[in-house]
Amino acid sequence: MRVLVAEDEEILAELVATGLRRAGFAVDTVYSGDAALAYLGLHDYDVVVLDRDLPRVHGDDVARGLVASGSRTRILMLTAAGSLEDRVAGLDLGADDYLGKPFEFPELVSRVRALRRRSARPVPPQLERHGIRLDTVRRTASREGRELDLSPKEFSVLQLLLEADGGTVSAEELLERAWDANADPFTGAVRVCMSKLRGKLGEPALIRTVQGVGYAL
């Protein structure tokens, strides 16, 4: 649900990030290996799309560091070198998947989603609670059979609440999981999104605010 794109070609990095955001992911972008390591140390990413030929710190060293730290972040390695030997070398470093350049964007999105499903927090294809049904593959949502027209952010927030299975999710966790690193924690973005989501879910109200703690479904 949260992805880091580490790619030194800035135009390509932003194109990939834009496409992944449209597919419903929260995405950060960096253009060097040292920046990738810094972001990976600060945030809990589901997947890192990692260019192998990064400046300052090579992508191979980023992958080694991530694996050595015991991180649950999955690694999708990108490279212009697509030989069998290169693929084997990348996977041996700890990459979970490997994609050669140039690539078709739908395949990249599909591979990122597949890696998300293999993460330490597996998500079932469908989530259901209190008459709400969420299809995490087709990214559709309904309540009592009524289709819900949710924005990607609203869908992500609702998914996090459903995954909590009745537990409380803090505003800080929602910001960490559904927004990117540019989100200002003081803007009230979570509160505004929650208000819109409640309106779309309709009555009777399903999302309750746990004062001083967060939100629960």
Side-chain angles (χ1 to χ4, degrees):
M1 197 173 294
R2 187 163 186 179
V3 180
L4 177 65
V5 176
E7 165 62 61
D8 67 328
E9 297 179 41
E10 295 189 21
I11 293 177
L12 176 59
E14 294 307 323
L15 285 173
V16 169
T18 298
L20 288 172
R21 290 185 186 113
R22 288 174 179 167
F25 296 97
V27 186
D28 297 322
T29 54
V30 294
Y31 314 118
S32 64
D34 55 344
L37 288 172
Y39 270 63
L40 288 163
L42 285 172
H43 305 290
D44 184 19
Y45 291 99
D46 295 290
V47 178
V48 55
V49 179
L50 180 64
D51 179 33
R52 194 169 182 186
D53 297 315
L54 289 173
R56 294 203 284 275
V57 176
H58 196 274
D60 289 359
D61 294 321
V62 174
R64 288 190 188 97
L66 200 57
V67 171
S69 71
S71 172
R72 63 165 200 90
T73 301
R74 301 293 184 177
I75 303 171
L76 173 57
M77 189 169 278
L78 300 178
T79 183
S83 70
L84 176 61
E85 291 79 8
D86 288 308
R87 292 197 299 273
V88 169
L91 294 170
D92 282 346
L93 286 168
D96 298 281
D97 200 358
Y98 197 101
L99 191 58
K101 299 178 184 178
F103 52 83
E104 295 294 332
F105 192 77
E107 182 181 5
L108 174 66
V109 173
S110 179
R111 287 176 183 245
V112 170
R113 283 181 175 150
L115 289 177
R116 170 64 175 87
R117 290 193 293 271
R118 289 165 50 192
S119 71
R121 291 193 294 267
V123 179
Q126 290 197 349
L127 295 165
E128 291 188 53
R129 187 176 178 84
H130 298 312
I132 294 178
R133 174 176 292 183
L134 215 68
D135 188 318
T136 62
V137 178
R138 295 183 177 85
R139 295 191 66 78
T140 58
S142 63
R143 179 178 183 182
E144 305 293 353
R146 174 176 62 89
E147 293 298 317
L148 301 173
D149 183 19
L150 304 181
S151 71
K153 196 71 66 186
E154 292 160 357
F155 188 98
S156 295
V157 168
L158 183 56
Q159 180 173 332
L160 288 166
L161 291 173
L162 284 166
E163 287 178 17
D165 197 25
T168 303
V169 184
S170 68
E172 292 77 13
E173 184 177 353
L174 289 171
L175 271 175
E176 172 68 21
R177 305 300 306 154
W179 275 262
D180 60 31
N182 295 315
D184 185 342
F186 303 106
T187 60
V190 173
R191 188 175 65 254
V192 171
C193 181
M194 200 64 69
S195 176
K196 292 180 178 178
L197 180 57
R198 282 171 164 150
K200 291 183 178 181
L201 289 176
E203 297 294 336
L206 291 178
I207 300 174
R208 60 189 177 91
T209 301
V210 182
Q211 197 64 36
V213 181
Y215 303 90
L217 188 66

